[in-house]
């Protein structure tokens, strides 16, 4: 049997307080984790007692140094020890109690952080062991205007790996997707960015340069392949030490990573806050960290579309252009369900005045073709995104599209609404009994009109042309039926469906 820590045999009500204090005294000091779950990757903790009581700091590979909040002793029996929680501004991390209890010669941390059960033994550490795990912090730039890169005069269009493939993405699949975009005609319809989302990263070399992982043997060759087909390559990183899926982020290597991507021939970066929220959780620091990468991209001299992904926090649309951004997410992640898509598309699409040539509200990537919605629901999805002037980033397996999916993604008349050079974001002008009429003014003086039915029964809908400023008898075209229709048309709009019109006075 390993030697129990002093105080182990103290018990009984009378001993509670005393035992608690005895334990706490024993557990103060420096500890290094021998092994810990990769999220949030605890490496060390330092526990101290002073006149005010117990204090501690626990270090995480994702979030750096975190105070051990409300650190206190618990109980008095076997397995007793200390309890605390962490809070880095992400509500998903806050609610969990973590316990430090004696374990043989050392201690064990148990509990849960978000989705990850923690069970992490630690041993007493020397000052040198602790110092080796110091988590560096880096200064942020003072506020400055990042000059526009002149890109994205209309909302970016292309494909991204995440919604369909998540981490199961590799060089071969990306090449096949590029070929499929060409073969299907979608490249010529405007879908030119081929974006690798999370999951391409390997480790940094001794020179600090970030290498791709084994699934991407040669990024420069991949970029050449993409470019040879008239397409552009996108990549993904985070200002934090870890990306959302736990890969290496750009923390401490911002300028170096920007240069690496430019050398590979990258044309687009999605920069996802992820573990960066452990370091940057105020409006000023989040803006500064995005500004830092924005300036680094400009400094490479290569035109690189800059996509900000911080889930719409801190009114990002108000400063996205300022930091060099071309698009900025307005929400959390979309899911392949009507409920998720509709919640974002109808109700959380960002501040309309922030959108326009060079900078776009981004309600997240498309799910069209992924199977979780019916055809009329997907028609609503792409119609809403077109009405909003949203970036159109396909999220499906473009190698095996049905005709139906191809028709939804490749409708030139709908794409023309999305890509209209005026760049106005459409808005609902009438909401009634689960139906919504949306309008979007277009550069040629015509107006795109969406008749959306959010109910689960077909509904007859009509536009009130005079009320929309289009007179009594506008010329009207149905953009999904590809034909002219009478102005007094009152179509039956399918459940969860849409009729999308373009009207000219
Ligand atoms: C976040 C983003 C997603 C995707 C994943 C990748 O959740 O919002 O769009 O990039 O990270 O891990």
């Amino acid at each position: 049997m390993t030697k129990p820590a002093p105080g182990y045999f103290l018990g009984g009500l009378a001993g509670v307080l005393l035992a608690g204090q005895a334990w706490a005294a024993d557990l103060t000091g420096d500890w290094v984790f021998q092994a810990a779950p990769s999220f949030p990757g605890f490496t060390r903790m330092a526990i101290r007692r002073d006149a005010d009581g117990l204090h501690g700091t626990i270090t995480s590979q994702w979030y750096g140094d975190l105070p051990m909040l409300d650190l206190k002793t618990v109980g008095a029996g076997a397995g007793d020890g200390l309890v605390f929680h962490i809070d880095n501004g992400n509500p998903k991390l806050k609610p969990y109690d973590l316990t430090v209890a004696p374990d043989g010669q050392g201690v064990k941390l148990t509990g849960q952080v978000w989705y990850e059960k923690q069970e992490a033994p630690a041993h007493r550490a020397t000052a040198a062991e602790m110092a080796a795990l110091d988590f560096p912090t880096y200064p942020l730039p003072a506020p400055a205007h990042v000059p526009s890169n002149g890109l994205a005069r209309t909302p970016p269009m292309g494909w991204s790996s995440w919604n369909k493939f998540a981490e199961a993405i590799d060089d071969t699949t990306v090449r096949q997707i590029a070929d499929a975009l060409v073969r299907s005609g979608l490249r010529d319809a405007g879908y030119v960015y081929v974006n690798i989302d999370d999951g391409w990263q390997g480790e940094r070399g001794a020179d600090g340069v970030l290498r791709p992982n084994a699934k991407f043997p040669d990024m420069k060759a991949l970029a050449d392949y993409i470019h040879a087909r008239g397409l552009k390559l996108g990549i993904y990183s985070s200002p934090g030490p870890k990306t959302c899926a736990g890969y290496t982020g750009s923390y401490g290597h911002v300028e170096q990573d920007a240069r690496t991507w430019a050398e590979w021939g990258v044309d687009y970066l999605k920069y996802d806050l992820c573990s960066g929220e452990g370091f940057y959780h105020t409006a000023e620091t989040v803006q500064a960290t995005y500004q830092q990468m924005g300036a680094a991209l400009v400094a490479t001299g290569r035109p690189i579309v800059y996509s900000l992904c911080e889930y719409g926090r801190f009114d990002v649309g108000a400063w996205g252009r300022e930091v060099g951004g071309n698009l900025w997410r307005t929400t959390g992640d979309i899911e392949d369900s009507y409920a998720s898509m509709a919640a974002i598309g109808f109700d959380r699409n960002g501040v309309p005045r922030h959108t326009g040539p060079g900078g776009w509200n981004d309600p997240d990537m498309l799910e069209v073709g992924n199977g979780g919605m019916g055809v009329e629901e997907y028609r609503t999805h792409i119609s809403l995104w077109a009405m909003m002037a949203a970036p159109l980033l396909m999220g499906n397996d473009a190698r095996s599209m049905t005709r139906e999916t191809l028709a939804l993604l490749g409708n030139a008349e709908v794409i023309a609404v999305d890509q209209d050079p005026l760049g106005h974001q459409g808005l609902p002008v009438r909401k009634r009994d689960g139906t919504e009429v949306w309008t979007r003014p277009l550069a040629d003086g015509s107006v795109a009109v969406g008749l959306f039915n959010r109910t689960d029964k077909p509904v007859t809908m009509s536009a009130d042309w005079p009320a929309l400023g289009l007179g009594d008898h506008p010329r009207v075209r149905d953009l999904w039926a590809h034909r002219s229709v009478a102005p007094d048309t009152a179509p039956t709009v399918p459940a969860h469906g849409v009729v999308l019109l373009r009207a000219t006075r």
Side-chain angles (χ1 to χ4, degrees):
M1 183 183 163
T2 46
K3 186 170 161 278
Y8 185 86
F9 297 110
L10 285 177
L13 263 183
V16 166
L17 199 62
L18 187 70
Q21 285 173 350
W23 279 116
D26 286 333
L27 301 189
T28 59
D30 293 337
W31 302 95
V32 162
F33 291 100
Q34 284 127 240
S38 63
F39 180 82
F42 290 125
T43 57
R44 65 173 191 184
M45 67 187 163
I47 302 170
R48 302 283 181 269
R49 175 188 282 286
D50 64 18
D52 297 334
L54 284 165
H55 309 278
T57 300
I58 188 163
T59 305
S60 144
Q61 288 172 338
W62 290 60
Y63 303 118
D65 292 330
L66 297 161
M68 297 165 80
L69 299 168
D70 300 325
L71 183 62
K72 51 180 183 274
T73 56
V74 282
D80 291 346
L82 303 174
V83 65
F84 69 99
H85 62 94
I86 56 174
D87 178 8
N88 69 349
N90 179 349
K92 288 182 178 132
L93 301 185
K94 193 177 168 153
Y96 304 102
D97 277 349
L98 291 162
T99 304
V100 181
D103 179 52
Q105 301 291 318
V107 291
K108 188 182 266 182
L109 176 85
T110 53
Q112 182 153 334
V113 182
W114 196 0
Y115 57 85
E116 194 80 71
K117 198 164 177 283
Q118 305 292 316
E119 192 149 323
H123 63 259
R124 284 209 182 268
T126 63
E129 279 178 289
M130 291 296 277
L133 296 169
D134 274 348
F135 206 92
T137 54
Y138 302 98
L140 287 169
H145 172 75
V146 177
S148 162
N149 56 20
L151 301 170
R153 304 314 294 169
T154 61
M157 289 178 67
W159 174 90
S160 163
S161 54
W162 187 256
N163 282 356
K164 174 69 186 178
F165 296 94
E167 291 170 63
I169 188 67
D170 54 45
D171 176 281
T172 305
T173 306
V174 173
R175 288 174 192 239
Q176 290 171 350
I177 294 283
D179 291 340
L181 290 177
V182 176
R183 201 174 50 236
S184 62
L186 288 176
R187 174 198 62 188
D188 294 340
Y191 294 90
V192 293
Y193 287 97
V194 178
N195 294 350
I196 308 168
D197 204 279
D198 210 350
W200 64 268
Q201 310 89 327
E203 301 300 324
R204 293 188 186 279
D207 53 3
V209 175
L210 182 55
R211 314 278 197 267
N213 60 41
K215 296 189 297 172
F216 291 90
D218 186 341
M219 280 296 193
K220 175 116 189 50
L222 178 56
D224 290 346
Y225 187 93
I226 301 277
H227 293 154
R229 280 151 188 78
L231 295 162
K232 293 177 185 297
L233 178 65
I235 212 154
Y236 169 99
S237 192
S238 168
K242 299 279 186 186
T243 65
C244 294
Y247 294 83
T248 306
S250 293
Y251 187 79
H253 295 268
V254 172
E255 287 78 14
Q256 187 175 34
D257 285 356
R259 285 194 299 272
T260 301
W261 300 324
E263 278 162 27
W264 288 346
V266 163
D267 308 293
Y268 184 118
L269 171 69
K270 172 174 166 184
Y271 206 42
D272 194 351
L273 188 58
C274 302
S275 70
E277 70 189 352
F279 307 85
Y280 319 119
H281 33 59
T282 62
E284 292 71 28
T285 52
V286 169
Q287 184 168 343
T289 194
Y290 277 92
Q291 176 193 315
Q292 188 176 26
M293 180 56 87
L297 293 176
V298 170
T300 67
R302 185 174 175 85
I304 299 176
V305 168
Y306 186 29
S307 160
L308 318 185
C309 180
E310 45 84 281
Y311 333 117
R313 292 182 192 166
F314 306 117
D315 200 18
V316 60
W319 50 265
R321 286 164 198 272
E322 205 46 32
V323 301
N326 298 111
L327 61 159
W328 39 82
R329 278 272 293 277
T330 53
T331 70
D333 291 9
I334 195 169
E335 285 166 22
D336 187 19
S337 71
Y338 180 75
S340 165
M341 182 281 292
I344 292 174
F346 285 109
D347 299 322
R348 289 205 293 273
N349 29 37
V351 181
R353 73 184 141 79
H354 293 154
T355 241
W360 308 95
N361 287 329
D362 173 11
D364 207 355
M365 304 169 288
L366 299 172
E367 293 282 9
V368 175
N370 280 337
M373 290 180 243
V375 63
E376 296 308 330
E377 296 175 328
Y378 281 138
R379 198 187 311 283
T380 294
H381 185 5
I382 189 133
S383 301
L384 262 178
W385 265 236
M387 289 299 281
M388 285 190 268
L392 297 181
L393 293 163
M394 303 161 49
N396 61 319
D397 187 346
R399 300 169 303 182
S400 55
M401 271 178 293
T402 62
R403 271 170 195 284
E404 207 166 59
T405 297
L406 184 56
L408 288 170
L409 292 169
N411 183 332
E413 295 191 77
V414 174
I415 292 171
V417 172
D418 182 76
Q419 296 289 299
D420 185 77
L422 213 51
H424 279 196
Q425 179 167 322
L427 286 170
V429 291
R430 193 184 81 201
K431 297 189 182 190
R432 190 185 294 157
D433 301 330
T435 66
E436 299 192 13
V437 177
W438 283 55
T439 62
R440 175 175 173 189
L442 302 173
D444 66 356
S446 67
V447 178
V449 179
L451 309 177
F452 292 97
N453 174 11
R454 297 181 68 171
T455 77
D456 52 16
K457 302 219 164 41
V459 174
T460 302
M461 290 181 71
S462 57
D464 180 349
W465 301 118
L468 300 181
L470 286 155
D472 282 325
H473 295 286
R475 273 189 295 125
V476 184
R477 188 163 167 85
D478 182 325
L479 304 184
W480 285 112
H482 299 294
R483 60 184 169 83
S484 299
V485 292
D488 57 358
T489 182
T492 300
V493 184
H496 292 177
V498 61
V499 169
L500 192 62
L501 306 169
R502 183 167 181 154
T504 312
R505 201 187 160 92

